[in-house]
Amino acid sequence: MPDQTIYSIRKNRFQSGLHPGFVLEQNGCLRADESLASHCIYLKAIDSGRMDSEWGRLTLDISHTEDMICYVRVAAMDQDSFYRNERPVRIEDFLCNPEETDSIKKVFFERIQALRFVNQEDMLLYSLKGRYLYLMVEVIGEGSCEIDGMRIDMRGDNFMNTFPSVYRERDSFFHRWMSIFSSMYNDFGGEIERLPSLLDLDTCPAELLSVYAGWLGINVGNDFLDEAILRPLVKEAYALNRMKGTRAALERVAEIVLGEKVLVLERNVMANYIEPEQMAEFERLYGDSVYDVTILVRNPLNELTKTRLLFLLNQFSPVRSRLHIIHAQQEGVLDDYAYLDMDARIAGQKQGALDESQVLDGIVRLEE
């Protein structure tokens, strides 16, 4: 019975290998350095655990500009080392050694009669036989290139064993022709297996988050919010909808957008504690209507962040409420009649002088 093992090559295998000219992203994707014209990937040996193993199919998830050329070299051997200058050398150590040149590694693949594919994403490995599989990917040219991962399917096909033995010749024309349908079948099965990850808010693609937000009644616009804001917002959408119209909802939405806690002040509640002679100044800051709500934030907001914040807060605010945002600076100013008592101190004092008669304290900022 043929081996049913499928190897997924992603971040961990990329990290253990060598990828000059590529940058390994946090999500496991390899991104080409656009300032370079040559990019290579060398992986450590993929061990099937059995001698004379037969290999099936290699799929490469890659996207690159049209002018770039991608070469894939694949070889299988039963031994994991060779002699060089009369000394044994492990093949994977040789391939992943940054001090060895790319040209000498290409010569090595030629001498072991490796298969070479040009600009292909789906490759049949039926002619390869051996316990260890060695792989080299080379991308030539300037431009953008991303490699999300690879899959090596030792099974190769699903249907050959259903035919009489006379038709089961490996790597024959009939075998390769039937592999077309096996590839379609395996790809379809792979899509079905990935469905749970598409519905998982931690692993689903960023472009699906806006769809899920719409299902939960939250309008997030078209590419209006960054993924860092959108993903936690959608994950907490059910809880936020349950407390929509409350102070807690406004505080949590603002914390998701800004990454810090804010203070929500309701004018109608605060007015009960304000003296009549201070009411005019109070209304100037916090509004003159019972529907006014003020959001105090610590740091100044640019226009994009402020627009995002208000756009979301208005979806969770009470009906007819009017939202205001105020930057609450941490610095303060003492007037001529103020003094400091025991154990008091002034921390973080910042001063700048324009001339002998003009002094700037911590409240004033000079901007270009």
Side-chain angles (χ1 to χ4, degrees):
M1 182 176 180
D3 197 331
Q4 304 292 313
T5 305
I6 298 177
Y7 298 91
S8 295
I9 301 175
R10 291 191 60 82
K11 185 176 181 180
N12 290 337
R13 291 187 182 268
F14 288 148
Q15 280 181 330
S16 63
L18 181 68
H19 43 83
F22 283 96
V23 177
L24 183 59
E25 304 286 354
Q26 189 67 29
N27 60 358
C29 172
L30 283 175
R31 178 177 53 81
D33 186 347
E34 298 187 17
S35 64
L36 302 177
S38 177
H39 320 79
C40 294
I41 301 173
Y42 303 96
L43 299 178
K44 291 195 172 182
I46 299 174
D47 187 359
S48 67
R50 293 185 299 106
M51 295 295 183
D52 295 325
S53 293
E54 295 178 335
W55 300 87
R57 177 186 176 213
L58 167 65
T59 55
L60 178 62
D61 191 358
I62 183 174
S63 61
H64 58 81
T65 55
E66 186 176 355
D67 296 335
M68 303 180 79
I69 302 176
C70 177
Y71 297 95
V72 179
R73 295 174 173 85
V74 191
M77 303 173 64
D78 281 328
Q79 59 267 29
D80 62 351
S81 61
F82 67 99
Y83 280 88
R84 187 181 189 188
N85 298 327
E86 299 182 353
R87 299 182 61 182
V89 178
R90 288 179 62 87
I91 297 176
E92 62 180 21
D93 294 338
F94 163 73
L95 294 177
C96 297
N97 186 355
E99 297 182 359
E100 301 286 353
T101 63
D102 294 332
S103 58
I104 194 65
K105 295 175 182 178
K106 294 178 187 177
V107 172
F108 170 79
F109 274 99
E110 291 175 0
R111 291 186 176 179
I112 61 176
Q113 299 180 345
L115 299 179
R116 193 185 76 151
F117 304 92
V118 182
N119 285 343
Q120 295 188 36
E121 300 180 11
D122 196 330
M123 295 150 274
L124 295 179
L125 311 178
Y126 292 154
S127 61
L128 297 182
K129 183 180 291 188
R131 173 176 175 174
Y132 302 99
L133 190 76
Y134 299 99
L135 180 66
M136 171 187 176
V137 179
E138 181 183 21
V139 181
I140 304 296
E142 296 182 355
S144 62
C145 175
E146 289 190 357
I147 298 179
D148 288 334
M150 310 177 200
R151 280 168 57 92
I152 298 176
D153 185 356
M154 296 195 68
R155 173 181 50 197
D157 63 76
N158 303 80
F159 308 117
M160 285 297 290
N161 289 334
T162 62
F163 292 92
S165 58
V166 69
Y167 295 106
R168 299 181 190 177
E169 181 184 355
R170 186 172 179 82
D171 202 23
S172 64
F173 172 79
F174 182 70
H175 189 192
R176 290 177 172 272
W177 184 73
M178 288 302 300
S179 295
I180 298 174
F181 305 98
S182 295
S183 298
M184 297 170 59
Y185 180 84
N186 293 334
D187 289 343
F188 186 68
E191 292 295 330
I192 294 176
E193 292 177 358
R194 284 194 291 268
L195 285 178
S197 66
L198 295 179
L199 296 174
D200 188 339
L201 296 179
D202 290 317
T203 60
C204 70
E207 52 269 19
L208 289 179
L209 292 173
S210 58
V211 177
Y212 298 153
W215 291 357
L216 297 169
I218 302 177
N219 181 12
V220 295
N222 296 324
D223 298 328
F224 183 63
L225 300 175
D226 295 335
E227 181 182 353
I229 298 175
L230 191 54
R231 196 174 294 275
L233 180 68
V234 177
K235 290 175 64 175
E236 299 186 31
Y238 178 76
L240 290 172
N241 280 329
R242 293 191 63 184
M243 56 185 182
K244 180 179 292 187
T246 66
R247 177 178 175 177
L250 298 181
E251 291 176 341
R252 183 55 191 151
V253 171
E255 185 178 356
I256 292 175
V257 176
L258 302 179
E260 62 181 21
K261 292 185 178 296
V262 301
L263 184 60
V264 178
L265 303 177
E266 302 173 65
R267 187 269 178 197
N268 191 41
V269 175
M270 296 175 58
N272 298 326
Y273 304 95
I274 303 300
E275 299 295 335
E277 59 273 11
Q278 299 176 345
M279 185 59 68
E281 184 67 17
F282 170 80
E283 291 181 347
R284 187 179 70 85
L285 290 174
Y286 302 106
D288 56 0
S289 171
V290 295
Y291 302 109
D292 286 312
V293 178
T294 301
I295 313 293
L296 293 182
V297 299
R298 292 183 178 276
N299 300 310
L301 306 180
N302 56 43
E303 287 300 320
L304 177 59
T305 304
K306 183 177 180 180
T307 303
R308 287 172 172 173
L309 180 58
L310 288 175
F311 180 78
L312 291 175
L313 287 178
N314 284 323
Q315 299 183 52
F316 292 90
S317 62
V319 178
R320 299 179 63 183
S321 62
R322 299 186 302 185
L323 302 180
H324 310 277
I325 297 178
I326 294 180
H327 306 147
Q329 296 285 350
Q330 294 182 346
E331 294 84 359
V333 178
L334 299 179
D335 57 23
D336 293 340
Y337 300 99
Y339 67 94
L340 301 179
D341 204 345
M342 292 181 60
D343 298 327
R345 64 176 181 174
I346 299 177
Q349 184 178 9
K350 299 178 182 179
Q351 290 187 347
L354 296 177
D355 53 32
E356 294 181 356
S357 60
Q358 299 292 330
V359 178
L360 305 180
D361 61 14
I363 295 297
V364 181
R365 295 185 302 166
L366 293 180
E367 298 181 351
E368 296 182 358

